Amino acid sequence: DAMVIQNPRYQVTQFGKPVTLSCSQTLNHNVMYWYQQKSSQAPKLLFHYYDKDFNNEADTPDNFQSRRPNTSFCFLDIRSPGLGDAAMYLCATSSGDPEETQYFGPGTRLLVL
Amino acid sequence: QKEVEQDPGPLSVPEGAIVSLNCTYSNSAFQYFMWYRQYSRKGPELLMYTYSSGNKEDGRFTAQVDKSSKYISLFIRDSQPSDSATYLCAMSPYGNNRLAFGKGNQVVVIP
C-alpha cells in the first residue's frame, strides 16, 4: 500500500548528540512536511519542502535542519538535541493540491537523556 | 492569543452517546477546516475536510463551520469504543498546506 514510513519509531539519544530521523513516501507527493508534537500539544510545523524548495518556519530553531535528497526521502537532523527537543516528530506529505489531504506517517518518538 | 484554541479535555462518554468537539480561531483568513483523528502512538488521519462555512456529513460524523463566530465543531453520533482517540482540528487560509492545529481533544468511549 502507498504510505508514509518513518524510521525509527523510537529513538533515544544523549543530550548534545546529533540525531537523524528518516521519512520516506511511496505516494510520489511533491510536498513533505516535518512537525514536532509534544505531549498534549498541537503539532507544530517545523519546515516543509515543495519539491526541492525548502521552506523554514520563522520560529524553527537553527538546531533543526532538513534534507530532501530525492522525491521519496526526507530527513530531519537535530544537531545538538536538548531535553526540550524530546517529542513525537511527524512527517507528512501532500500532492500540493489544496483540495488534497496531508498524509501523516506514524511518527518517531524521540527521547533525550 | 493562540491562532487555534481547542480545549484538550479529556472527554469520557458512554457508548452510543453523541460526542461534541469544538475549536475557536482568531485568524479570519482561514478558509479550509479539517478534523484529524489520532490514535495512540499513530500519526493523525484526516476525518473531515470543509471549505468555508456550512455543514458536512460523513456517516456518523458531522462537521460544522461558522466563520462569523470563528467556531468549528465536530459531532460523532452513536459513538463506539473504536472512536476513542485524540481529535485535532486544523485550519489554513490556503487549503491543505501550512496547517494550524489545535491541541487535540482526547475522547474515551466507554463500552
Side-chain angles (χ1 to χ4, degrees):
Chain A
D1 284 345
M3 55 197 303
V4 181
I5 303 160
Q6 290 189 246
N7 285 305
R9 294 293 310 278
Y10 299 92
Q11 176 73 58
V12 181
T13 191
Q14 292 178 330
F15 182 93
K17 184 174 180 181
V19 66
T20 295
L21 309 182
S22 168
C23 178
S24 63
Q25 53 125 344
T26 59
L27 296 155
N28 203 33
H29 279 168
N30 294 325
V31 192
M32 295 187 78
Y33 309 82
W34 279 104
Y35 291 86
Q36 179 192 63
Q37 186 180 25
K38 296 187 177 181
S39 180
S40 301
Q41 298 285 321
K44 178 181 178 300
L45 182 63
L46 296 173
F47 25 59
H48 74 277
Y49 275 94
Y50 196 113
D51 291 327
K52 293 185 178 180
D53 293 333
F54 177 70
N55 299 272
N56 198 29
E57 294 300 299
D59 56 354
T60 297
D62 291 340
N63 198 25
F64 291 87
Q65 304 284 320
S66 185
R67 296 170 284 135
R68 190 178 184 185
N70 53 52
T71 301
S72 302
F73 283 87
C74 195
F75 300 98
L76 170 62
D77 300 308
I78 308 176
R79 293 192 296 188
S80 181
L83 298 178
D85 297 327
M88 173 78 88
Y89 289 88
L90 295 164
C91 174
T93 75
S94 73
S95 66
D97 180 341
E99 303 296 326
E100 297 275 326
T101 185
Q102 285 189 26
Y103 291 85
F104 282 83
T108 294
R109 185 168 294 279
L110 177 68
L111 180 62
V112 181
L113 301 178
Chain B
Q1 183 186 11
K2 288 192 187 333
E3 272 196 312
V4 181
E5 298 276 3
Q6 183 177 9
D7 184 354
L11 182 65
S12 291
V13 299
E15 184 175 352
I18 295 175
V19 175
S20 174
L21 306 172
N22 58 75
C23 290
T24 59
Y25 62 94
S26 58
N27 188 345
S28 57
F30 288 146
Q31 299 266 31
Y32 295 82
F33 304 92
M34 286 136 260
W35 286 96
Y36 282 83
R37 178 175 61 197
Q38 186 174 22
Y39 290 114
S40 181
R41 298 186 180 87
K42 298 284 181 70
E45 58 178 336
L46 185 70
L47 262 185
M48 302 288 282
Y49 188 2
T50 54
Y51 172 72
S52 196
S53 285
N55 294 355
K56 185 173 183 178
E57 192 171 313
D58 184 1
R60 296 184 294 109
F61 298 90
T62 301
Q64 290 184 348
V65 175
D66 182 349
K67 288 187 66 181
S68 62
S69 302
K70 297 191 179 71
Y71 187 91
I72 70 170
S73 301
L74 177 71
F75 300 96
I76 308 172
R77 291 185 300 281
D78 187 24
S79 57
Q80 304 294 310
S82 59
D83 295 327
S84 298
T86 296
Y87 292 82
L88 297 144
C89 64
M91 48 199 79
S92 165
Y94 306 117
N96 202 17
N97 296 314
R98 301 191 73 251
L99 300 177
F101 279 90
K103 284 186 176 182
N105 247 138
Q106 185 182 3
V107 172
V108 177
V109 180
I110 302 165

